[in-house]
Amino acid sequence: MNDAARSATDSTRDKHGLIVIGGAGGFIGGSLARYFHERGHTRIRAVDKKPLPEWYQRVPGVESLCMDLSESANCVRACEGACEVYNLAADMGGMGFIENFRVECLRSILINTHMIEAAYRAGVARYFFSSSACAYNTELQKDPKCPALKESDAYPAMAERGYGWEKLLSEMFCQEYWAERGMMTFIARFHNVYGPYGTWDGGREKAPAAICRKVIEAKDTGRREIVIWGDGSQTRSFMYIDDCVKGIDMITHCEELIATPINLGSSELVSVNELVSLAESIGGITLERSYDLDAPRGVGGRNSDNTMIQRILDWQPNRPLRDGLEQTYAWIEQQYMDRKAGKRTVS
Ligand code: NAD
């Protein structure tokens, strides 16, 4: 085990400094709050603009605040007394959202801009920013068989319109707050995260959740068909949520990674067609496939090159897709049934 892994799992690490998590009413932020809480951190402040009853997870013992972090005064309040700040707040979703709401995506620049300044003024020791594989040059991702993306592939820049450019510019803020002002910042480029407590319906859901839901719906209604966005040949890798939160912790406690964007993603590449087959086999059903070629499909292919994370952290996200998808399918199925029964659900 190397230093970063040791620090992330170190039982002697200070557990009483205030951790602030922006976007904690959502999927990854909520899971991160739970992760730190379960590891004995005693002071966690979770912040999200959604009203508290709409948060995906509320962790007992965690201070939960409803505030819009695109406003500077709220960021100042959120960062008060913080040792570490994790910014996971963003207006985001799957391809259906980021291709149709580019202005909303770009406006998330306000969140990081105010949050990082507030963190700096509050004297925080470590600041984490959740970037995305959408920051990579889209020219390199046309072919479903394109090589995995390594960290240097973000430049020359031609990021995903809207969402990707917001991420790239926010990364630069993080790098300059370190270079010019000496605040330690950490940046992970997430590749498609999935798992329980993720958005699974409503238009912002990503492919794994959407496909599980469609299979569950088909089983429930008896309409044994599924509509796939694009021709199904587009490839992606998908990271299970437990790997994501562990990776965030390890990256943020690795001095070698200060102000250095790093991939945080699985390198298990599958096509959307293969993802559908996996969900079908978990659901024990085979569906008639049709393809909506006008639907948003994103780039042709995208995978995470994990050479750097493996070298520096001696670790990489490793939950097999089949295993993670089984957990996710079971959770979405329960959500689906709960909603049918008129109970409150996530998204
Ligand atoms: P999510 O939508 O579930 O969570 C984001 C949360 O941010 C939401 O609860 C939302 O209400 C909140 N938010 C939005 N605007 C806000 C504001 N002005 N003030 C306060 N809160 C605000 O998304 P997620 O999947 O948990 O993503 C978390 C972060 O990870 C985001 O920055 C996202 O861009 C990044 N990311 C996610 C993925 C993925 O596959 N889920 C991939 C790449 C990057």
Side-chain angles (χ1 to χ4, degrees), residues 188-210:
R189 292 186 183 140
F190 299 164
H191 290 246
N192 299 298
V193 189
Y194 73 100
Y197 294 99
T199 308
W200 61 278
D201 202 1
R204 287 179 188 248
E205 65 278 18
K206 296 196 153 211

Side-chain angles (χ1 to χ4, degrees), residues 10 21 25 30 34 61 82 93 95 119 125 154 158 176 192 197 214-215 221 240 243 245 272 307 321 325:
D10 184 2
I21 303 174
R34 180 173 299 283
M95 285 318 298
M158 188 47 72
E176 298 307 342
N192 299 298
Y197 294 99
K214 287 178 185 184
V215 170
T221 60
Y240 193 63
D243 281 337
V245 291
V272 168
T307 312
L321 180 58
L325 206 65

Side-chain angles (χ1 to χ4, degrees), residues 164-179:
W165 281 101
E166 186 276 317
K167 292 297 187 192
L168 204 56
L169 187 55
S170 291
E171 285 187 3
M172 200 174 283
F173 268 86
C174 293
Q175 291 175 304
E176 298 307 342
Y177 268 76
W178 165 247

Side-chain angles (χ1 to χ4, degrees), residues 179-190:
E180 220 175 272
R181 300 192 181 184
M183 179 168 71
M184 281 200 268
T185 58
F186 301 87
I187 307 150
R189 292 186 183 140
F190 299 164

Side-chain angles (χ1 to χ4, degrees), residues 15 31-41 44 57 59 62:
K15 301 278 172 69
S31 304
L32 189 64
R34 180 173 299 283
Y35 169 91
F36 282 131
H37 182 71
E38 285 172 355
R39 270 150 196 80
H41 287 268
I44 303 169
Q57 298 184 69
V59 185
V62 166

Side-chain angles (χ1 to χ4, degrees), residues 26-28 48-50 68-69 88 130 163 167 193 206:
F27 172 36
I28 304 173
D48 202 288
K49 75 172 175 185
K50 281 194 294 216
D68 183 343
L69 294 174
L88 292 116
S130 50
Y163 181 69
K167 292 297 187 192
V193 189
K206 296 196 153 211

Side-chain angles (χ1 to χ4, degrees), residues 68-283:
D68 183 343
L69 294 174
S70 65
E71 294 187 15
S72 150
N74 289 339
C75 292
V76 172
R77 164 73 189 91
C79 292
E80 230 168 51
C83 283
E84 297 184 354
V85 171
Y86 295 81
N87 176 18
L88 292 116
D91 228 336
M92 65 88 62
M95 285 318 298
F97 183 81
I98 67 177
E99 285 197 3
N100 289 313
F101 297 96
R102 295 190 180 111
V103 171
E104 295 307 320
C105 291
L106 281 168
R107 285 179 58 81
S108 290
I109 195 78
L110 293 172
I111 302 173
N112 195 61
T113 306
H114 291 315
M115 206 56 179
I116 198 167
E117 175 68 14
Y120 170 70
R121 287 178 184 243
V124 311
R126 291 166 197 270
Y127 182 91
F128 173 85
F129 174 66
S130 50
S131 186
S132 164
C134 291
Y136 282 113
N137 190 325
T138 49
E139 295 294 317
L140 302 175
Q141 306 171 61
K142 293 191 164 154
D143 184 347
K145 293 199 188 79
C146 64
L149 294 158
K150 52 189 186 306
E151 285 74 3
S152 55
D153 288 335
Y155 294 97
M158 188 47 72
E160 181 95 36
R161 280 175 66 187
Y163 181 69
W165 281 101
E166 186 276 317
K167 292 297 187 192
L168 204 56
L169 187 55
S170 291
E171 285 187 3
M172 200 174 283
F173 268 86
C174 293
Q175 291 175 304
E176 298 307 342
Y177 268 76
W178 165 247
E180 220 175 272
R181 300 192 181 184
M183 179 168 71
M184 281 200 268
T185 58
F186 301 87
I187 307 150
R189 292 186 183 140
F190 299 164
H191 290 246
N192 299 298
V193 189
Y194 73 100
Y197 294 99
T199 308
W200 61 278
D201 202 1
R204 287 179 188 248
E205 65 278 18
K206 296 196 153 211
I211 290 168
C212 286
R213 189 201 67 233
K214 287 178 185 184
V215 170
I216 292 161
E217 259 165 6
K219 273 183 80 168
D220 184 48
T221 60
R223 284 196 294 275
R224 299 171 77 93
E225 50 197 38
I226 185 165
V227 180
I228 296 169
W229 286 11
D231 64 7
S233 67
Q234 63 274 34
T235 55
R236 296 288 185 280
S237 70
F238 299 97
M239 167 170 57
Y240 193 63
I241 183 66
D242 292 5
D243 281 337
C244 181
V245 291
K246 179 177 176 182
I248 293 172
D249 189 4
M250 289 173 80
I251 288 167
T252 308
H253 295 94
C254 175
E255 249 96 292
E256 207 181 328
L257 287 173
I258 297 172
T260 306
I262 184 165
N263 279 332
L264 184 56
S266 161
S267 59
E268 184 182 346
L269 191 70
V270 289
S271 69
V272 168
N273 273 326
E274 287 165 336
L275 190 62
V276 172
S277 300
L278 208 49
E280 284 177 335
S281 104
I282 293 167

